[in-house]
Amino acid sequence: MEEIKEETGTVNKGPEIVFTNVTKEYPNGVKALDNVSFRVAPGEFAFLMGHSGSGKSSLIKLLMLEERPTSGSITVGNVDLGSVKSSGIPYYRRLIGIVFQDFRIIFSMTVFENVAFALEMLGESRKEIEKQVMAALDLVGLAEKRNEKPDCLSGGEQQRVAIARAVVNLPGIIIADEPTGNLDKENSVEIMKILQKINMMGTTVIVATHEREIVAETGQRVIELNHGVRLLGDE
Ligand code: ADP
Ligand code: MG
């Protein structure tokens, strides 16, 4: 028991995320984020809460470096995102696993191939890929479905494939944008449990949702957005 505890203590926690006075105004004049500041601590689980159009996906795009802020600064660990050049973006993105509402898995590939795909791009050995993919599939409870194609799986299982793919290279951060938006209640609860399990391993987890019910049930911290303005959360 003692040994396990010690081992858990040495797991690297996901990096801290800091937004300082971040504004994002699109070329059409829409201000998706207006002077937003918050901090997510290393290894924290935080909800990004707000109704549709409140700027959740825009905030995530800034974190993924798919968009740049109009003003303000964002840091992830010791990386100031403003100083990451286009050529550095693919390397930066390896820090983050992302999960979307619509799963975005590949239907012509098996469960295993969907999860292995990202590692193959990184040029890992066959043996290492097999080991990491099976660990990720075990984590989401899909090891026995490794050879199935996604159209044989339920929506909840398809989202679990997407989560396995997001965590397979052990990123410090997992971001999920409305991960339960296409799922029924039972599957939503299951997905949230898996995300919490991943957080318990030390990963920083950010879940964007407009579903108050989901947030209330888990009791995690909430960062609330409203028309691009950050409301006071329980920090
Ligand atoms: P949420 O994810 O909370 O629903 P979004 O970040 O998608 O919110 O959108 C916030 C606001 O920014 C909305 O008014 C939306 O229409 C606008 N918006 C989002 N993306 C773009 C874009 N690429 N160009 C212009 N406006 C955008
Ligand atoms: Mg959105």
Side-chain angles (χ1 to χ4, degrees):
M1 214 42 209
E2 212 48 47
E3 253 180 58
I4 292 170
K5 259 192 204 157
E6 263 197 47
E7 222 167 74
T8 313
T10 62
V11 167
N12 278 333
K13 282 204 168 170
E16 178 187 51
I17 299 167
V18 183
F19 274 58
T20 309
N21 304 122
V22 173
T23 293
K24 176 61 187 178
E25 186 173 337
Y26 288 108
N28 62 0
V30 171
K31 245 187 201 173
L33 298 172
D34 189 359
N35 203 30
V36 169
S37 298
F38 66 88
R39 171 179 180 265
V40 176
E44 191 179 345
F45 188 122
F47 278 108
L48 197 54
M49 175 88 206
H51 60 77
S52 178
S54 62
K56 304 181 295 296
S57 294
S58 296
L59 194 155
I60 288 170
K61 282 183 182 148
L62 294 177
L63 256 181
M64 296 302 294
L65 281 174
E66 283 172 37
E67 291 281 351
R68 300 280 189 173
T70 311
S71 60
S73 78
I74 304 168
T75 60
V76 173
N78 54 16
V79 182
D80 175 353
L81 298 202
S83 69
V84 179
K85 299 195 182 78
S86 306
S87 58
I89 291 175
Y91 301 97
Y92 165 74
R93 286 196 185 137
R94 288 179 197 169
L95 278 176
I96 305 177
I98 186 153
V99 176
F100 299 98
Q101 175 171 356
D102 55 0
F103 319 146
R104 304 196 192 176
I105 53 178
I106 300 168
F107 276 73
S108 58
M109 290 182 174
T110 64
V111 166
F112 183 94
E113 288 163 349
N114 264 283
V115 180
F117 189 59
L119 294 178
E120 280 159 5
M121 304 287 280
L122 295 179
E124 302 254 16
S125 73
R126 240 311 113 196
K127 198 174 152 206
E128 190 56 31
I129 289 173
E130 169 87 20
K131 197 174 109 193
Q132 284 182 241
V133 171
M134 290 318 291
L137 289 177
D138 266 334
L139 182 75
V140 301
L142 283 181
E144 74 285 6
K145 304 236 165 162
R146 57 176 289 176
N147 294 321
E148 304 275 358
K149 291 270 176 72
D151 56 9
C152 301
L153 305 179
S154 71
E157 287 171 333
Q158 290 178 17
Q159 189 61 301
R160 279 149 63 191
V161 175
I163 293 175
R165 180 184 57 187
V167 300
V168 72
N169 69 334
L170 304 177
I173 304 171
I174 291 289
I175 298 174
D177 193 355
E178 307 269 5
T180 62
N182 287 4
L183 302 177
D184 62 19
K185 170 89 188 158
E186 197 180 323
N187 278 301
S188 297
V189 169
E190 185 62 30
I191 292 299
M192 291 313 302
K193 275 190 190 152
I194 291 169
L195 290 171
Q196 285 180 300
K197 192 159 84 176
I198 291 164
N199 175 245
M200 297 291 281
M201 294 159 59
T203 313
T204 303
V205 176
I206 297 180
V207 178
T209 184
H210 64 274
E211 295 173 73
R212 252 172 218 290
E213 205 185 342
I214 285 199
V215 176
E217 272 169 13
T218 60
Q220 303 283 0
R221 184 162 82 93
V222 177
I223 296 161
E224 187 142 1
L225 293 172
N226 185 17
H227 286 300
V229 181
R230 223 213 109 181
L231 301 178
L232 284 182
D234 52 337
E235 267 174 273

